[in-house]
Amino acid sequence: MDSGQHITIQAIHGGTGGAGGSSGSGVGGSGGTGEAPQFNISGASQWNVHTVPSFTGRQETLQEIHQYFEQAQGTRLIFILHGLGGSGKSQLAFKYVREAQDKKRFCDVFFIDATSNQTTETDLKLLAPTANDTLEAALSWLASNHNEWLIVFDNADDVGLDIAKFFPPSTFGSILITTRNSQLCIHGVDSQVSNMALDDASYLLLKLVGRKAVQDNKKELATAIVKELHCFALAVSQAGGYINAQGDLEGYLALYKVSRDRLLKRNDIQGQSQYHIPVYATWDLSYNKLSQPAKLLLQIFAQLHHEGITKEIFEKAALSELQMDDSDFQVQVNQVLGQLGGSNQTWDALVFSDILGELQAYSLIEQNLRDQSFSVHPLIQQWSNYTTKQNIGFIQTCALAIIAMSYYFNREDFKFITGLLHHMTRLSLFFQQPLDMKISVHLAYIAEHQGRCSDAEGLQVAVLDSRKRLLGEEHPDTLLSMDNLARTYSDQGRWSDAEGLQVAVLESRKQLLGEEHPDTLLSMNNLASTYSDQGRWTDAEELEACKRLLGEEHPDTLTSMDNLACTYSDQGRWSDAEGLQVAVLESQKKLLGEEHPNTLNSMSNLACTYSDQGRWTDAEGLQVAVLESRKRLLGEDHPYSLLSMNNLAHTYGDQDRWSVAEDLQVTALESRKRLLGKEHPATLLSMNNLAHIFEHQARYSEAEALRRAAQDIEQRRDAASKHTQIEKLVASPAELALPGAASENPVAQSLHETYTQNSKKPRKWKRNTLNQLDTMSEEWS
């Protein structure tokens, strides 16, 4: 049980031998067959220990317990079942005892209520040979009892309970502990009891409501209900009790979605449930024992994604130098961080670890030992939000501020930023209040770093509108917001929108700062990139200005050199392009490291130049390295990873390795449809690239269907524009003359014309985004 209620001592003793036979000739017959060991348990009907009537599943854990206690009989064995209150630990222990009794594993089994030191001592003293004996006498009696015995310490949840002092002083005997306190795992072998398997949870629900599982429609309905309950044992059991009482399996799911808090906190709907306390109440028992900082941290955890919560989020936020526009809110956030270990841009890791340990002690959070991150059960999040609903707005805003501040501290840890995006996305599901502008700016950076352009755009538009209204059109912060939004438009292929903003920013910065100010040069670089994306190459001028003012190895100079190299490549001047790209790559490796986004970008550009020259082996080596690094750092679905897939597919196609190229291109296309939308230029690129691959495999009807779909989308998308935005990746114009009969095929000929007319390499798509983003972040600081 996980309820914390007091139970009386419960013991299982061996059965007695059969009675002797009758004396027909003065000699008694042989004894009858001995009775099987019997349960002699006071209060058994209350606790359902005899039958464990609705126990379902957990077979792997049961087998684990059996195997452990069957080894080395005659030695001390201790097994700990730990997990969140209501996960089914006690029922699992009861089920094991029943099965062990059937196997005649133990002669004696003793159930001890370990809710507190007092209840544990009281129950153990009842084992003493004579009444009113001490605890020491009871433990000594157990130590002298050489029969195979098992003690079950149930509900050993209190972190103040010294469980070891209640172990008999012997080298034999078996002990099974159920607890929320994972710290007790040091005493033996442990197994965490978490959510039930989906099928087991569905079966349990149907069993509790008295429905036959063979009815497919009932199975589907039960599965939908337990999914909503996250297959949590106590929640499923409580739902079964309510449904059994009301007789409405069909209506429960809809009712739960609108009244989940009211259902999970009620204590009058237990029905056939073996539990005697509602879901929310079992966690209230733990929550009420927490310190105030632990309660606060749990409330913040409840706002984030339920997995991947790291210490670094809070540490980086505490060390951040970000100054919000709202000074009062800044003070409040600093006070929150102060309770968790942060003070005046310092961080006390020990204080924070102690708070985490307090939450872990009651299994309210769990730690993933593989990456040291933490998780919180979704139902715990739901319960926590219910208990703090009067203050939920502040907690949510504070959580968003912590996410934004932690990004500000380190902009180049892309695995870390990916995790921040998950938490930010969770918060955005229910957050409606206006945000501090600087918080919004950094949340937009997080979204943009991960290719979530639409999310970034929404935040940036709101910030720009506010800054125009409060600061004026030409305030430096307003111009920075315009530049950020223009970059996002460019990332979405909306180059006309981007150009309009960038021209305005450039003109304002020229007027306010002068033509050779670094910020003005940055604007020139951004506008040059947009012009280049439209085939309007103007990179050379901006390169010379950057070189003169910033130096040969300044990041902006290197970016400009890379841009000029792309222009040379677009003009077929591949030798000139290669010379610049090799120089840029070597400088970036030295200055930024081999896996910095700008370094990977330069590697990708150089690979495209190698490919243009027919040096496919050199191109492939670089592209494989870039793809693997981006997948590892950014994730497989990040736009940069998908771009690398496109480039590598191009190189495979150049080598007539069409099957491998197709696999990459299909993956890229499906991801781009899902993440960017069907009308994004990159999606259209993938459609045309895949059509080209189909063409080379003589799959003309599939190629034609893709080509026509891309054309239809392009015509709708650019109805008001004369410039076609479809980019080309799979082959250069010279390589598009299809061999043999294929060149006479009308579909192939149409593809040839399409690619010949749109020959710009997509390596230039978003080539500067990460560098510009880093520069913008540095400007802001």
Side-chain angles (χ1 to χ4, degrees), residues 603-624 643-662 664-665 689 692-693 728-732 735 761 763:
M603 290 172 66
S604 181
N605 289 347
L606 179 57
C608 286
T609 300
Y610 285 154
S611 181
D612 286 335
Q613 300 173 79
R615 295 164 60 183
W616 297 310
T617 301
D618 294 334
E620 180 182 345
L622 285 174
Q623 287 167 340
V624 168
L643 183 60
S644 293
M645 288 184 194
N646 263 309
N647 291 346
L648 184 55
H650 170 207
T651 300
Y652 286 148
D654 286 335
Q655 301 171 75
D656 292 328
R657 296 163 64 183
W658 297 110
S659 178
V660 184
E662 179 185 347
L664 282 173
Q665 203 60 257
N689 289 348
H692 179 76
I693 292 171
K728 173 266 180 190
L729 171 64
V730 292
S732 66
E735 295 163 338
K761 292 288 183 182
R763 60 177 171 270

Side-chain angles (χ1 to χ4, degrees), residues 291-301 311 314-315 318 333-343 346-356 359 398 402:
S291 66
Q292 185 56 41
K295 291 178 179 178
L296 176 60
L297 184 59
L298 183 62
Q299 291 166 11
I300 295 173
F301 272 35
K311 295 180 181 179
F314 296 87
E315 179 181 1
V333 173
N334 288 341
Q335 288 174 344
V336 168
L337 290 169
Q339 293 189 58
L340 303 179
S343 177
T346 62
W347 181 247
D348 193 326
L350 180 59
V351 169
F352 192 70
S353 293
D354 287 344
I355 297 171
L356 288 171
L359 295 176
C398 187
I402 289 171

